[in-house]
């Protein structure tokens, strides 16, 4: 609860992966964003306490390109006023065969007299379709954000939370925060119907929203 005449305290919680992909879809780069200017613009006249950026940690193994890129980004985040980052983890997931549809189509070729493809091409396509692919799954980040939002609300660390994500999984946490009397504004470059319904307000972030917030 705020005292009359004082500003509402605001904390920004950024779902890093969701935020990154939202900007990327609009042709924008999270690497070039001035997070201090952006945070101040987002909270308007409220007292900006801090911005908390959550992301899965890239491991230092194999091709180090992704690791080095993330480390550079984290160093940049740390250089901004009142901006901190919090790391979850990334887990490797291996999927068998890169294209089930392609394999199914190739298996049906003997019964398709209307299709004529050289055996060499069929062999190459079969090889490609059988290659296992590796993906990385972010773990622990959503739980960290939800836990911090709720616990910090009960600890009266803020009056208003800004959650930068379109992930509907945060709906329950938002309701818990609002039950404490705090406000929650959701902001995203991606439409989020479910999460926007649970918040006090949804702030759509188009390209113009970021004017004046670039390095």
């Amino acid at each position: 609860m705020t005292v009359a005449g004082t500003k509402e305290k605001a904390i920004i919680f950024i779902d890093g992966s969701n935020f990154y992909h939202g900007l990327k879809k609009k042709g924008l780069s999270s690497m070039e964003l001035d997070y201090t200017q952006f945070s101040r613009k987002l909270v308007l006249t409220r007292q900006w306490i801090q911005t908390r950026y959550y992301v899965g940690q890239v491991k230092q193994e194999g091709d180090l390109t992704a690791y080095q890129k993330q480390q550079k980004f984290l160093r940049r985040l740390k250089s901004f006023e009142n901006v901190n980052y919090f790391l979850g983890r990334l887990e490797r997931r291996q999927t068998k065969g890169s294209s089930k549809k392609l394999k199914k189509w190739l298996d049906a070729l003997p019964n398709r007299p209307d299709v004529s493809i050289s055996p060499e091409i069929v062999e190459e396509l079969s090889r490609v379709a059988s290659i296992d692919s590796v993906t990385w799954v972010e773990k622990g980040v959503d739980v960290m954000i939800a836990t911090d939002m709720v616990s910090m609300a009960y600890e009266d660390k803020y009056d208003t939370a800004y959650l930068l994500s379109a992930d509907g999984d945060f709906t329950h946490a938002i309701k818990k925060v609002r039950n404490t009397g705090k406000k929650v504004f959701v902001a995203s470059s991606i439409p989020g119907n479910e999460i926007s319904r649970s918040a006090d307000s949804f702030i759509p972030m188009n390209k113009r929203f970021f004017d004046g917030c670039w390095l």
Side-chain angles (χ1 to χ4, degrees):
M1 181 179 295
T2 57
V3 178
T6 63
K7 290 184 176 181
E8 291 183 5
K9 296 175 295 185
I11 293 181
I12 300 171
F13 300 83
I14 301 180
D15 178 355
S17 178
N18 200 281
F19 185 63
Y20 166 83
H21 289 291
L23 290 182
K24 188 175 181 180
K25 284 185 177 181
K26 294 189 177 299
L28 304 174
S29 171
S30 59
M31 288 285 290
E32 303 302 323
L33 189 64
D34 184 324
Y35 285 84
T36 296
Q37 293 299 326
F38 168 71
S39 298
R40 287 174 174 161
K41 184 174 184 178
L42 182 63
V43 303
L44 298 174
T45 59
R46 294 180 173 86
Q47 180 188 359
W48 172 48
I49 302 300
Q50 63 171 308
T51 293
R52 302 168 66 89
Y53 192 103
Y54 298 79
V55 68
Q57 183 175 20
V58 177
K59 294 183 179 180
Q60 190 176 2
E61 62 182 28
D63 184 353
L64 296 179
T65 303
Y67 169 79
Q68 292 168 346
K69 184 177 180 180
Q70 186 183 61
Q71 289 301 305
K72 179 181 178 181
F73 175 65
L74 294 178
R75 286 194 297 270
R76 178 172 290 175
L77 274 182
K78 198 172 182 179
S79 70
F80 292 111
E81 175 190 354
N82 296 338
V83 178
N84 299 294
Y85 62 81
F86 303 87
L87 302 176
R89 65 186 189 278
L90 293 176
E91 293 186 358
R92 185 191 298 265
R93 293 287 186 272
Q94 191 168 23
T95 57
K96 295 292 184 180
S98 59
S99 176
K100 291 182 179 179
K101 288 186 177 180
L102 177 56
K103 291 179 70 175
K104 185 177 180 180
W105 184 81
L106 290 170
D107 291 341
L109 276 180
N111 301 317
R112 293 286 305 275
D114 57 317
V115 178
S116 178
I117 302 178
S118 71
E120 291 80 8
I121 294 178
V122 172
E123 182 179 354
E124 180 64 17
L125 289 174
S126 298
R127 186 189 67 80
V128 172
S130 62
I131 295 175
D132 293 346
S133 60
V134 174
T135 58
W136 292 93
V137 179
E138 194 173 63
K139 305 292 288 185
V141 173
D142 289 0
V143 174
M144 290 173 64
I145 297 173
T147 301
D148 287 353
M149 281 184 62
V150 174
S151 62
M152 294 175 78
Y154 277 95
E155 293 165 3
D156 200 29
K157 294 294 181 68
Y158 64 82
D159 302 299
T160 302
Y162 289 82
L163 174 59
L164 273 57
S165 180
D167 191 342
D169 288 346
F170 289 114
T171 297
H172 184 66
I174 291 173
K175 290 179 180 177
K176 287 292 185 181
V177 171
R178 295 184 68 193
N179 285 343
T180 69
K182 309 300 185 184
K183 297 176 184 176
V184 179
F185 295 145
V186 171
S188 179
S189 300
I190 309 171
N193 294 328
E194 183 176 357
I195 193 172
S196 63
R197 287 194 295 268
S198 64
D200 286 274
S201 182
F202 180 80
I203 304 170
M205 297 189 296
N206 55 27
K207 280 189 174 183
R208 292 188 61 186
F209 186 91
F210 297 92
D211 288 350
C213 298
W214 301 107
L215 295 173

